Each structure stands twice: as structure tokens, then as C-alpha cells.
Amino acid sequence: MQAKARNNARVVFVVAADGSVSDLQLTESSGSAELDQFALTLVRKQAPFPPIPPETGKSSWVFKARIGPF
């Protein structure tokens, strides 16, 4: 998988107040379809995340992450 990758895969996703994930997108390919799919699956498998504490006043948070060997 890593041999084909030229970069880390970049993903963006939204975590809702209850910890659920939505709007998961690959924003930059790694150059390896296998690594790109792995990055998306990894985020999906981590859900649900811990709920957002009410005192933050936030109903959701946007996260951007690089996933890969580089």
C-alpha cells in the first residue's frame, strides 16, 4: 500500500455534538487508491467520538487530518 503512495491522504470530516461523524471527504489523494480508502475507513471506524462538551457552545467541530506514512 505505501509503495504506491506519494503523499499522505488528507481527509476532512465533521464531528457532531453527539460524537457522530458526517461529511467525511478525501480532500487530497495520497496517490494510492488503497491508502485513500484506508484513511476514510479509519475515520469511520473511530466513530463515534466522545461527545462535544456542552460548555463549549459548539454543535459540531470540523477536523482535517493527514493519514499515511509520510
Side-chain angles (χ1 to χ4, degrees):
M1 171 173 31
Q2 293 179 10
K4 296 178 186 175
R6 296 183 306 271
N7 298 300
N8 292 328
R10 288 186 184 194
V11 296
V12 64
F13 58 96
V14 176
V15 175
D18 66 357
S20 63
V21 171
S22 65
D23 299 328
L24 174 60
Q25 297 176 31
L26 181 71
T27 58
E28 185 178 325
S29 175
S30 66
S32 165
E34 192 176 359
L35 178 56
D36 294 347
Q37 192 58 47
F38 171 81
L40 295 169
T41 300
L42 180 67
V43 173
R44 283 187 201 104
K45 285 185 175 184
Q46 298 308 306
F49 289 88
I52 298 172
E55 57 270 16
T56 65
K58 301 276 187 181
S59 61
S60 65
W61 273 330
V62 176
F63 288 88
K64 297 176 184 177
R66 293 180 182 183
I67 300 172
F70 301 103

